[in-house]
Amino acid sequence: MESLRKYLDKIKPNFEEGGKHPKLKSTFEAFESFLFVPNETTGAKGAHIRDAVDLKRTITMVIIALLPALFFGMWNVGYWHHAMTGEEAGFFSNLFYGLGQVLPIIAVSYISGLFLEFMFAQIRKEQVNEGFLATGLLIPMIVPVDCPLWMVAVATMFAVLIGKEVFGGTGMNIVNPALLARAFLFFAYPGKMSGDKVWVAGYGDADKVVDGFSGATPLGELAHGTAFDALTAGNEQLSVLDMFLGYMPGSIGETSTLCILIGAIFLICTGVASWKIMFSGVLGVLAMGALLNVFGTEAYTQIPFWSHLLLGGFAFGIVFMATDPVTAAQTETGKWIYGFLIGVVAILVRVVNPAFPEGVMLAILLMNVCAPLIDHIVVRQNVNRRLNRAKAAVASK
Amino acid sequence: MSKIIKLKQGLDINLVGEAQRSVGQTVAATEVSLKPADFACLKPHLEVKVGDKVKAGSVLFTDKNRPEVRFCSPVSGEVTEVRRAERRRITDVVVKADGQNDFEKFDTSKASSKDGAKALLLQSGLWPYLRQRPFNIVADPSQDAKAVYISTFDSAPLAADYQFVLKDRLADFQAGIDLLSKIAPVYVGYDAKISGNIFANVKNATITGFEGPHPAGNAGVQINHVCPVNKGEQVIVVNPQDVAIIGRLAKDGIYDAKKTIAVAGSKVKSPAYVSTVANASISGIIAGNYDATDARIIGGNVLTGTKLDDKGYVGFYDNEITIIPEGNYYDFFGWALPGLKKYSFSHTFFSWLSPKRKYDLDTNTHGEKRAYVVTGTFEKLVPMDIYPLQLIKAILAENIELMEELGIYEVAEEDFALCEFADTSKTDIQAIIRKGLDLMVQETM
């Protein structure tokens, strides 16, 4: 430790103004503060002691919370690939196959995004914010496994540039950058982002597919008019337990409600993500699902209202995307409204709009945009309370 | 039976080094200094020169904008030095005590009227002990106050305990309330957790009990629940020990600046109380009683205080000196390790599983400044009907109208001290609040 510290202190002047590599100052600082929490002390006036938490710690918690879903996703990629080809495969060969498919996507996402982050930090003469470390892992988890790597790179850079840096960088963005990346892919390259063939690794150009293998997501099948009972009945079919555990094709990290739930509990215990958003989001889904059950006439509207929680990207979206504090509502009351509306809109788009098999992404993006309005309305209540109090005080004089 | 208000938001940070409830020593101050920087927005006008002899209660400087507000020497002696910083800004007016305790005598006979009471406080130099909400500045004597508010407990970590400090001065305290009640109705807040609280039975005041974690003891927080400040109103805030000094003035017509100061913190060898005078030099108070290597000496408490060097002076409104370790070290992978011994309001370190533990915190910032990302933390720390994050952002945007709407008139820096402590982005929130208050002073006064 000591020798590493000494080495850093020795090379540090190279990156200062007038040193050999002043253009790499932000980069050096990012790595230095990664290794060592700096020796900065508090100012002469104000709080002389500070909480041990910082943004690095907070983002680390998010990444830890993502790991169960990520590892399950890797295994699931291998499982469905082998199910398609009909090969016998054990736990580890499934996992390693998935690892081989998913790691390149993660690497591409991190490299392309961090390159821009470091560049912008240097241009602004700021330090690199850690926010992208979460975004860079979220993006691979919400794309289909067969998404070409160059598309991941383009989408990531689009999200960082247009989603974040043009607004002023971390903390200033209006929509969640990871979801923006996905939306970009969805609308720019729909062929690679939807349909029945993108969810299983190697399906698009497979020579040999097991008879009767579909590769469609359960949501895709439901959207095509398959009844829920038909989907879950019989031995070969998908049981409700399978849905909960995540044995179904889908975006890499989104399928296992169980693993996402573990992540959610971790985020709530550490206080990093708002339980209010998650809870009200679930309420929103249940309310909208029940409403459709009562008033809907088509088969899709009649699937059990609770099953919406297990299907598609809702669980992942509400736990990891909707709770992004920068783009969510920032007032506590606002969080209830924001979460609830995400649930409602997600199911509305999912079931009622035939153009989109899944509505979670659009619902969260829409509510990201509406969050400042929700906050405005909530804060106005406080302002009006204060105004009325002042008026009453004047009147009583 | 007085009303009791329970507050939920806030945080008690348990630190080692609490002052024992005993007066360790009596330190006769050899030197005192009045620092204009203790008073926000003050432009001082010097009324003495080096070599002048002064008594306790003789004017040292006045407020340029309100010449009737006088700042007076707490001891008798000789003005030995006027220290200045850049652009000749006065930082210290130093008086060397002669040990004679000669007092200026003030006429208390007219103090039974509002104007008489104000005049007495202004004349004697005790008026600056009266601060006002809004703006947390010395009260404007030309305005009619809506209330005088006294919080009789300080809930900040390692703060002085007024139950102990004032236990023998209750008569002075009551006399102070009686005088202040001439100016405006007096409200007193007391700590309802303490049974047999010595302040629960003061007369001539509306009494409210408060229960809850820090900042329940902040006057601003209590005012928000008892008599909230509206635009154009003024509520005067006085520290309890200063009320006793005012009481002494009312009884005997002198500025007797005797004060009991807590000396606390993990760097202090035997934390206890010291009897001295206001604005005293700290060198005599702490000498030999602390570990000087890498020590941060703070006038006031760890959340709101001012860094002092070992030859500094107790601040005008300070009731404690806190000494904690400096944190100028590198922490290898400090953000990644489990952190069983690291203290955090968030639950991101495992230390939250042992809430009773006492901590020896240092001045390390534990991370660098970042953009605002995390939300929901400040709301758990400010027990007022105010949206802290929104107010901070309005100040940063210098949006005067919005600041007004969001309650800038009701807050002081100290009410946001815990936010500054817990902020993930490591911003200096109290400095931002002060900036907002200064801006409002410029706009409205």
Side-chain angles (χ1 to χ4, degrees), chain B residues 62-63 65-70 121-123 127 140-142:
Chain B
T62 53
D63 182 346
N65 298 325
R66 297 185 300 223
E68 69 275 24
V69 178
R70 293 149 58 100
L121 288 168
L122 286 164
Q123 183 66 24
W127 182 265
D140 177 2
S142 66

Side-chain angles (χ1 to χ4, degrees), chain A residues 1 4-5 9 12 29 32-61 127-130 170-172 268-272 324-326 329-333 335 375 378-380 382-383 385-387 389-391 393-394 397, chain B residues 15 228-230 233 296 298 302-307 324 326-338 342-349 352 361-368 370-376 379 385-387 389-390 393 402 404-407 410 420-422 424 426-428 430:
Chain A
M1 248 59 38
L4 181 63
R5 186 63 246 166
D9 285 335
K12 199 171 189 170
E29 281 173 349
E32 187 195 12
S33 71
F34 176 80
L35 290 169
F36 292 95
V37 174
N39 62 347
E40 265 175 45
T41 54
T42 49
K45 188 154 175 56
H48 294 266
I49 53 174
R50 291 296 180 102
D51 198 292
V53 75
D54 68 347
L55 194 54
K56 270 196 192 64
R57 183 79 181 183
T58 310
I59 299 290
T60 308
M61 295 298 130
Q127 296 186 333
V128 181
N129 272 276
E130 288 84 0
T170 301
M172 313 288 182
I268 290 171
C269 284
T270 53
V272 167
D324 168 12
V326 174
Q330 304 192 339
T331 55
E332 297 306 295
T333 317
K335 283 173 186 169
D375 281 338
V378 172
V379 170
R380 277 296 116 181
N382 177 270
V383 171
R385 221 166 24 244
R386 187 166 291 109
L387 273 176
R389 195 182 72 201
K391 274 183 201 153
V394 171
K397 264 177 198 164
Chain B
L15 297 183
V229 185
N230 298 308
E233 292 177 343
R296 162 88 51 116
I298 301 160
V302 288
L303 288 176
T304 60
T306 310
K307 181 180 172 179
I324 58 170
E326 284 283 5
N328 48 351
Y329 54 84
Y330 287 96
D331 189 5
F332 185 66
F333 274 111
W335 55 276
L337 302 172
K342 287 194 171 154
Y343 184 73
S344 176
F345 174 58
S346 73
H347 287 178
T348 57
F349 291 86
W352 69 276
L361 299 185
D362 56 49
T363 63
N364 193 289
T365 52
H366 303 292
E368 298 156 297
R370 290 289 183 263
Y372 279 115
V373 170
V374 177
T375 63
E379 286 78 358
D385 186 17
I386 281 202
Y387 280 94
L389 185 67
Q390 282 70 20
K393 288 185 172 176
L402 191 58
E404 206 176 277
E405 288 179 339
L406 292 173
E410 296 163 53
E420 181 168 310
F421 167 78
T424 313
K426 311 290 176 192
T427 32
D428 296 326
Q430 293 184 84

Side-chain angles (χ1 to χ4, degrees), chain B residues 280-295:
Chain B
S281 160
I282 63 166
S283 53
I285 298 173
I286 58 171
N289 191 21
Y290 77 109
D291 169 16
T293 46
D294 281 333

Side-chain angles (χ1 to χ4, degrees), chain A residues 165-221:
Chain A
E165 297 303 338
V166 293
F167 293 106
T170 301
M172 313 288 182
N173 45 312
I174 292 169
V175 299
N176 183 308
L179 267 185
L180 188 70
R182 196 188 195 284
F184 175 81
L185 288 172
F186 185 83
F187 290 109
Y189 311 104
K192 287 287 181 190
M193 290 299 288
S194 49
D196 294 348
K197 299 216 162 184
V198 299
W199 309 104
V200 176
Y203 195 11
D205 39 33
D207 329 321
K208 180 170 81 84
V209 173
V210 171
D211 282 346
F213 183 84
S214 100
T217 63
L219 270 188
E221 296 192 26

Side-chain angles (χ1 to χ4, degrees), chain B residues 34-111:
Chain B
L34 234 57
K35 298 175 278 189
D38 283 347
F39 314 96
C41 300
L42 172 73
K43 287 204 184 78
H45 179 261
L46 206 58
E47 303 281 352
V48 288
K49 51 187 189 303
V50 173
D52 283 2
K53 296 266 186 261
V54 291
K55 292 181 185 174
S58 304
V59 65
L60 295 179
F61 54 83
T62 53
D63 182 346
K64 236 175 214 168
N65 298 325
R66 297 185 300 223
E68 69 275 24
V69 178
R70 293 149 58 100
F71 299 81
C72 296
S73 174
V75 294
S76 62
E78 181 186 337
V79 179
T80 51
E81 202 181 345
V82 177
R83 290 183 199 149
R84 290 175 188 271
E86 73 273 20
R87 296 166 70 198
R88 294 188 43 78
R89 186 170 54 85
I90 300 170
T91 59
D92 285 277
V93 179
V94 183
V95 177
K96 199 169 166 57
D98 57 11
Q100 302 294 316
N101 288 337
D102 281 341
F103 295 104
E104 297 267 7
K105 202 72 178 116
F106 301 102
D107 178 14
T108 57
S109 61
K110 296 195 182 83

